[in-house]
Amino acid sequence: MDGVVQLQRQLLDYTALLFQEGFLNDQFTQLQQLQDETNPDFVVEVVSLFFEDSERLLNELANTLDQQSIDFRKVDSHVHQLKGSSSSIGAQRVQNVCIAFRNFCDAQNTEGCLKCLQQVKNEYSLVKNKLETLFKLEQQILAAGGSIPM
Amino acid sequence: MGSVAGEFVRHVLPEKVGVSDHSAAGSEELHVLAVDDSHVDRKVIERLLKISSCKVTAVESGTRALQFLGLDGEENSVGFDGLKVNLIMTDYSMPGMTGYELLKKIKESKAFRKIPVVIMSSENILTRIDRCLEEGAEEFIVKPVKLSDVRRLRDFIMRGEGEENRKKGNHKRKLQDDYSISPPLSPAASLDCEISSLLLPSSSSSSPECPSKRPRLWVED
């Protein structure tokens, strides 16, 4: 079972790193605690919804900011939703960019908004990769007959 | 508890349904109607409630919530068996009907105005909180909602069923130890908090440290 132990150690270390680097916050831990044998895929399911929502919102944002005359209220509404869902899964860095983003919306600052859009896309992409890596590690552990350490 | 719970049942069931089925009142499982336009949040709240032994109906809009309750103006001849709702938890910012508007409609309804309504919002805005509480919201919870929030609510609702007829005296709800904001907020303190969160755009969040995070309702029935 050496392999499993190593994988579990890897998972714990990786998760700790994500927290240290600010990609995830305590809300993610809250979600993990809601997962159990009766609902073993809960976190993956919620995070998948987050991915879907985010991709939709990022597209909408790109469109809305691409218009001749930008509807900042619409931009703000999309960012608000993105901020909400990132907060709900503990994606701290995405959430933080959204806060700055909304301030630029309030100020109707196009350049600021475009910069934030780029930033939020980057942060989203990063956290998506990291979460997918995390889930892969979990899968490997389960496949090797181990259980997910908490 | 039995007869008092029965009292409670009579208050919340719509009038056209006979109050013959007390099995819902006898069982310990609360039925919560959760309203949120966010998929992610609906999924999370559903799980939080189920893990707290509550039955959940999660809908995506105020309109759907009203349809579920039978308040959408449609003549609903189907009985409300099993649909008794003990608590409504609604997001504030939703397209179409906001949580506030939904709250108003529920409180205007003779059949449902006694059902406690909790507003959830990611934004900690004092005027918003005040407005909701004034309109009769039981509580205003700043998102993300935690398990401890749900448990506290559930315990409160279950106790509330026993205290439903207590009309006089102190209506201050008991708080858990980690919520020590039972005295009314000094408006100045909360305003400062709101203002400072506006002035610090890159600060971590608009919500966490503000004392108005979990205001309690000083209620009169």
Side-chain angles (χ1 to χ4, degrees):
Chain A
M1 278 297 226
D2 248 4
V4 171
V5 173
Q6 256 184 354
L7 285 170
Q8 286 170 330
R9 167 63 24 201
Q10 228 184 313
L11 177 65
L12 286 172
D13 288 346
Y14 190 68
T15 309
L17 190 63
L18 293 185
F19 276 79
Q20 269 164 42
E21 293 180 335
F23 286 103
L24 296 176
N25 66 25
D26 180 64
Q27 181 58 22
F28 187 76
T29 310
Q30 295 272 324
L31 293 187
Q32 287 179 312
Q33 288 169 354
L34 296 179
Q35 183 164 290
D36 62 20
E37 329 71 52
T38 69
N39 210 320
D41 297 316
F42 175 69
V43 180
V44 170
E45 287 170 4
V46 180
V47 171
S48 302
L49 287 175
F50 167 69
F51 290 162
E52 277 173 36
D53 267 3
S54 301
E55 275 152 42
R56 176 182 57 86
L57 288 165
L58 289 171
N59 280 336
E60 309 241 18
L61 278 166
N63 286 336
T64 314
L65 284 167
D66 202 28
Q67 304 301 311
Q68 279 280 36
S69 168
I70 297 177
D71 182 349
F72 284 101
R73 271 177 39 160
K74 211 165 155 200
V75 178
D76 184 72
S77 167
H78 294 322
V79 177
H80 170 77
Q81 287 181 59
L82 185 57
K83 174 171 166 273
S85 51
S86 57
S87 155
S88 294
I89 69 146
Q92 178 78 66
R93 280 161 65 146
V94 174
Q95 188 187 342
N96 287 347
V97 178
C98 288
I99 291 166
F101 204 153
R102 291 194 80 193
N103 289 322
F104 283 122
C105 286
D106 282 346
Q108 309 217 336
N109 182 333
T110 307
E111 201 185 312
C113 283
L114 288 169
K115 285 207 173 106
C116 277
L117 177 59
Q118 199 44 56
Q119 238 188 312
V120 83
K121 276 177 163 170
N122 289 343
E123 289 299 340
Y124 168 71
S125 183
L126 284 169
V127 81
K128 181 166 193 260
N129 279 341
K130 303 214 180 256
L131 285 167
E132 285 174 339
T133 303
L134 195 139
F135 294 144
K136 277 202 190 93
L137 270 172
E138 287 183 345
Q139 282 310 305
Q140 284 179 290
I141 291 169
L142 292 173
S147 58
I148 317 279
M150 275 301 295
Chain B
M1 173 95 162
S3 62
V4 179
E7 279 295 325
F8 186 71
V9 168
R10 267 193 282 283
H11 284 303
V12 299
L13 281 178
E15 282 153 339
K16 48 189 166 226
V17 176
V19 187
S20 50
D21 179 25
H22 286 265
S23 59
S27 96
E28 288 298 293
E29 264 204 347
L30 297 183
H31 179 202
V32 182
L33 176 60
V35 192
D36 200 318
D37 62 312
S38 156
H39 294 161
V40 171
D41 290 351
R42 268 202 310 281
K43 179 128 184 120
V44 174
I45 197 81
E46 199 171 1
R47 182 63 185 152
L48 286 172
L49 288 165
K50 284 192 170 149
I51 237 184
S52 306
S53 312
C54 296
K55 288 200 292 271
V56 192
T57 301
V59 299
E60 62 189 1
S61 70
T63 311
R64 287 259 181 263
L66 293 177
Q67 277 170 3
F68 181 78
L69 293 170
L71 279 178
D72 56 342
E74 304 286 313
E75 257 310 303
N76 189 350
S77 55
V78 177
F80 273 77
D81 269 26
L83 292 186
K84 177 174 99 94
V85 170
N86 303 105
L87 168 66
I88 297 169
M89 296 183 72
T90 178
D91 188 28
Y92 182 93
S93 317
M94 297 187 290
M97 191 187 303
T98 66
Y100 175 73
E101 287 159 356
L102 176 61
L103 166 68
K104 277 176 71 168
K105 289 216 150 68
I106 290 166
K107 293 303 169 186
E108 282 161 11
S109 140
K110 216 163 126 190
F112 295 112
R113 65 186 168 83
K114 294 257 180 185
I115 302 181
V117 180
V118 168
I119 309 281
M120 305 176 284
S121 175
S122 56
E123 294 176 302
N124 187 18
I125 299 172
L126 189 63
T127 47
R128 174 180 294 188
I129 296 169
D130 278 348
R131 209 154 54 109
C132 290
L133 296 182
E134 271 160 32
E135 201 58 45
E138 203 59 48
E139 187 169 338
F140 187 101
I141 297 183
V142 177
K143 285 176 161 183
V145 180
K146 293 179 156 42
L147 190 57
S148 53
D149 292 321
V150 173
R151 285 193 169 139
R152 190 186 73 241
L153 270 179
R154 179 205 56 196
D155 292 346
F156 161 68
I157 302 290
M158 301 210 12
R159 244 182 331 189
E161 296 203 17
E163 293 171 357
E164 224 275 317
N165 293 317
R166 186 173 60 89
K167 300 284 181 198
K168 344 180 229 249
N170 186 3
H171 291 275
K172 188 174 115 184
R173 305 292 202 259
K174 290 221 159 159
L175 297 171
Q176 268 186 349
D177 290 346
D178 47 329
Y179 295 104
S180 51
I181 25 159
S182 40
L185 297 170
S186 96
S190 320
L191 251 187
D192 277 347
C193 190
E194 211 186 309
I195 289 171
S196 62
S197 63
L198 285 172
L199 291 174
L200 299 167
S202 54
S203 70
S204 56
S205 165
S206 52
S207 35
E209 308 308 312
C210 293
S212 53
K213 182 177 165 76
R214 299 277 193 273
R216 296 313 307 255
L217 173 66
W218 291 75
V219 103
E220 44 153 57
D221 266 311

